[in-house]
Amino acid sequence: MDNSLSHTSVDSDEALVAKCQKGERSAFDELVLRYQKKVFNITYRMVGNYTEASDLAQEAFVRAYKSIKKFRGQSSFYTWLYTIASNICRNRLRYLSRHRRSVVSLDNPIQTEEGVVLREIADKSLSPMAILERKMKGEFIQKAINSLDARHRIVVILRDIELLPYDEICRILKVNIGTIKSRLHRARSILRERLKDVI
Amino acid sequence: MNCQEIRSSLSRYLEDDLDPDMKNLIEQHLGSCSNCARELDVLRKMVSSLGKLEKVEPPFDFLESIHERLERPSKVKLILRRMFYPPHIKLPIEAVVVAATVLLVVRIVSFISPGKVMVTMKPAPEEERKRLKVATREEGVPVIKYEAGKEVVALKTPSISKDEVEVEPEVGAVSLAVPREELRKAEAMFEARPRLPTITEEVAVQLANQFVVEQGYTDLKASLPVDSLYFDEFEQGRQHMGVSIERILKARYNSIKRVPVITYEDEMSWNVVYIINRMPDFGQVVNVDKNTARVRMIPKKVSLEYLMEK
């Protein structure tokens, strides 16, 4: 085997997981860096709040780390990770709905020492007008997503936002494909109804 | 097929998830019905704008925060520390009994010598990892050590002689010959520790009404069946902290200071105080009695919202 290659080539998820299971923290860090954005975007779309999303995404990684030894590779690592993340989000939403506290919406102003500022979502290129338009549209869409219940929310996020294939979503949510399709259909009709003036 | 039926299939049509006959039917309909065609267009645009939603960058210190969380000591470890530190516990048998009810499984096996009872302790299932490590004997006094994470916690048992300890490291169990008298005394002490009455509905309503007066709330429900208060996940900067208050002993209103005061019992009181004092919205700790693990605190507005929701 060519050893020089292994220095330059990137470790696969499986290799990193194996290293993790042997207690190599740096391998876990590598996995975090690899998936933080994806996991974060799922939690972000689930709760619609930056701080909360960051907290939940971190929690997902912490739980994954703590139970990495139990991970036997029946599915790919990221499927497993997404399952953990979506469960955490659903529990959190259930908790919030029980306690009737809503999470801060995207357009909710933040109080800072310099006064009130509006929440910013990262955006690139485009003209200021286009940015504004897109941002507003994004906020409307997030608001509409927030109006869905957790079960429908996660399906529309995984399918229409993260663009994952159906079989992957089935494995993540551990629900059969028929159920996923009907939830997606339902979620889309609700969103369509709420967004008819924006789209 | 009418428009209603067609529309309910548009989502699947977009996914190309229909049998050819159905697909044909829909296409025919769309050719002749501009409303449904528009509907399809809107749906397609909506789905596509979902896919084009801006990806959001996680915070720059994301990984660092995960490291921080991983380094935080677990709750169980804190309980252990509370129970076993300082190592020279004055009433070791009591500690054994207390520990037994919380963490360990106790099995009374046999009588080995007159007046003594053999008690076997074993880590509870979820604590299997934190195995009993070894029992050493110093000057006739057995010292039982548990490996809890990186730390080794020791439990000295001066009233038991070195011949009266059996260790089974392979199952993580230790057996002690405990003077029956002492065991009974310890059990009695444990039994007699401050009992935990639940807050009555009447008190809860009263308490909440006082809150209402104080905080200007008006829409209080008439009855509030409350026997515990959960305060969970209060945001402190980025961190989420949880406090759960159960077993409320007393809820009263201090008319001089004009504040409600809750007294409750908490085995982790030292820790709870630390957390509560970092959550100004939650309340303020007035007093902690480390012997009875009783905490007295003045809950604040947020607590009221919880109380009212129950």
Side-chain angles (χ1 to χ4, degrees):
Chain A
M1 215 188 121
D2 189 357
N3 277 336
S4 65
L5 241 178
S6 66
H7 289 291
T8 50
S9 68
V10 181
D11 275 335
S12 67
D13 285 3
E14 289 77 23
L16 289 173
V17 167
K19 284 182 182 174
C20 255
Q21 288 172 331
K22 283 183 205 135
E24 264 183 55
R25 179 73 78 83
S26 61
F28 179 70
D29 290 354
E30 184 69 37
L31 287 167
V32 173
L33 295 175
R34 201 170 280 186
Y35 288 110
Q36 59 177 5
K37 190 165 174 183
K38 282 185 188 290
V39 171
F40 178 75
N41 273 275
I42 291 176
T43 61
Y44 179 73
R45 292 298 167 197
M46 277 301 273
V47 295
N49 170 291
Y50 193 88
T51 312
E52 182 107 29
S54 158
D55 198 60
L56 296 174
Q58 283 163 12
E59 182 62 25
F61 280 107
V62 166
R63 283 195 206 171
Y65 181 80
K66 287 186 175 163
S67 41
I68 193 89
K69 289 209 167 120
K70 285 186 222 147
F71 176 66
R72 294 268 166 268
Q74 303 94 328
S75 64
S76 62
F77 172 74
Y78 83 86
T79 304
W80 184 64
L81 185 63
Y82 285 12
T83 304
I84 296 175
S86 64
N87 284 339
I88 289 174
C89 287
R90 279 186 291 182
N91 286 341
R92 181 69 187 147
L93 290 175
R94 209 171 297 148
Y95 171 89
L96 289 174
S97 70
R98 236 193 358 254
H99 293 272
R100 277 186 251 130
R101 281 197 296 147
S102 60
V103 289
V104 188
S105 74
L106 286 172
D107 51 355
N108 209 351
I110 314 166
Q111 191 73 43
T112 67
E113 283 166 13
E114 284 88 40
V116 174
V117 294
L118 289 174
R119 270 162 208 275
E120 296 282 333
I121 308 173
D123 214 328
K124 300 177 199 93
S125 65
L126 303 170
S127 74
M129 199 55 207
I131 290 173
L132 187 68
E133 246 166 46
R134 180 190 271 208
K135 188 171 282 180
M136 284 177 66
K137 194 168 153 188
E139 286 169 12
F140 273 117
I141 293 177
Q142 184 64 47
K143 266 193 184 163
I145 293 171
N146 290 351
S147 74
L148 297 172
D149 72 34
R151 285 175 312 163
H152 292 92
R153 217 182 279 192
I154 188 72
V155 172
V156 89
I157 290 170
L158 295 178
R159 176 67 193 166
D160 286 343
I161 300 180
E162 295 300 320
L163 308 172
L164 294 177
Y166 278 119
D167 55 345
E168 200 61 61
I169 299 173
C170 288
R171 283 194 286 270
I172 293 170
L173 301 179
K174 307 200 189 322
V175 176
N176 69 47
I177 191 157
T179 311
I180 287 178
K181 282 181 181 170
S182 78
R183 283 185 192 165
L184 181 68
H185 170 65
R186 171 109 187 92
R188 281 176 176 176
S189 6
I190 296 171
L191 291 181
R192 188 231 155 278
E193 194 50 42
R194 295 199 178 250
L195 293 170
K196 60 182 171 203
D197 303 328
V198 187
I199 302 293
Chain B
M1 271 178 104
N2 63 28
C3 291
Q4 191 69 37
E5 287 166 309
I6 293 288
R7 286 184 190 190
S8 69
S9 302
L10 287 180
S11 167
R12 300 186 68 173
Y13 175 78
L14 267 187
E15 299 273 309
D16 200 12
D17 185 36
L18 294 171
D19 58 65
D21 289 352
M22 187 68 185
K23 203 174 157 185
N24 274 337
L25 262 177
I26 288 185
E27 275 165 3
Q28 274 172 25
H29 181 93
L30 291 173
S32 61
C33 174
S34 59
N35 281 340
C36 285
R38 203 177 311 124
E39 183 64 30
L40 176 68
D41 189 43
V42 170
L43 192 65
R44 181 180 283 134
K45 276 190 184 145
M46 191 208 69
V47 172
S48 112
S49 48
L50 286 174
K52 284 187 213 144
L53 272 177
E54 204 73 41
K55 292 286 179 244
V56 183
E57 287 295 328
F60 68 95
D61 60 349
F62 191 83
L63 182 61
E64 220 170 276
S65 310
I66 291 175
H67 285 171
E68 244 166 59
R69 281 188 187 211
L70 287 171
E71 253 107 69
R72 234 179 266 166
S74 78
K75 239 182 178 180
V76 174
K77 211 158 155 189
L78 289 171
I79 294 175
L80 273 172
R81 194 176 292 164
R82 160 105 178 145
M83 288 188 163
F84 293 108
Y85 281 114
H88 41 84
I89 294 165
K90 275 186 190 155
L91 283 163
I93 303 301
E94 188 203 21
V96 168
V97 177
V98 173
T101 57
V102 181
L103 258 185
L104 309 165
V105 182
V106 166
R107 182 158 51 103
I108 295 176
V109 182
S110 59
F111 308 98
I112 61 154
S113 52
K116 286 202 169 181
V117 183
M118 200 71 178
V119 178
T120 303
M121 303 191 300
K122 213 176 145 184
E126 65 270 27
E127 275 311 295
E128 267 169 9
R129 278 183 309 114
K130 296 177 176 152
R131 299 284 277 235
L132 171 85
K133 200 185 177 192
V134 71
T136 58
R137 292 102 201 255
E138 297 165 0
E139 302 158 353
V141 178
V143 179
I144 301 142
K145 289 183 176 171
Y146 295 83
E147 198 173 22
K150 286 179 197 155
E151 293 166 77
V152 174
V153 290
L155 178 64
K156 283 191 183 182
T157 55
S159 55
I160 301 164
S161 87
K162 60 179 177 180
D163 305 325
E164 295 168 322
V165 179
E166 282 170 23
V167 186
E168 301 164 80
E170 60 288 347
V171 290
V174 63
S175 303
L176 309 172
V178 177
R180 199 196 291 222
E181 191 61 15
E182 252 181 85
L183 185 65
R184 207 176 292 137
K185 217 188 331 178
E187 274 169 343
M189 280 178 73
F190 186 67
E191 281 300 308
R193 77 199 196 287
R195 272 296 150 193
L196 322 162
T198 51
I199 186 168
T200 63
E201 197 171 315
E202 199 189 346
V203 176
V205 172
Q206 208 186 334
L207 176 68
N209 277 323
Q210 283 152 0
F211 268 117
V212 170
V213 175
E214 284 297 300
Q215 308 276 349
Y217 282 87
T218 53
D219 56 341
L220 179 67
K221 291 198 187 83
S223 77
L224 293 157
V226 177
D227 59 8
S228 65
L229 291 175
Y230 288 91
F231 302 92
D232 199 5
E233 317 240 17
F234 277 75
E235 267 185 30
Q236 178 75 30
R238 267 262 190 71
Q239 227 174 15
H240 277 228
M241 289 186 281
V243 180
S244 127
I245 293 184
E246 288 172 85
R247 301 178 305 197
I248 295 168
L249 300 169
K250 207 159 60 176
R252 61 182 185 83
Y253 187 69
N254 183 325
S255 53
I256 299 164
K257 289 186 179 157
R258 295 163 59 79
V259 286
V261 181
I262 290 175
T263 306
Y264 72 99
E265 190 173 10
D266 197 314
E267 265 119 18
M268 310 237 311
S269 50
W270 86 103
N271 191 36
V272 165
V273 172
Y274 168 76
I275 295 173
I276 290 176
N277 285 342
R278 290 181 65 188
M279 298 192 294
D281 281 347
F282 169 78
Q284 183 197 342
V285 172
V286 186
N287 176 268
V288 183
D289 185 338
K290 286 206 170 128
N291 294 322
T292 58
R294 282 184 181 199
V295 179
R296 266 199 295 148
M297 65 163 295
I298 302 171
K300 283 208 184 150
K301 188 177 158 187
V302 191
S303 338
L304 171 66
E305 287 169 0
Y306 274 72
L307 190 63
M308 284 168 63
E309 270 178 24
K310 290 278 173 182

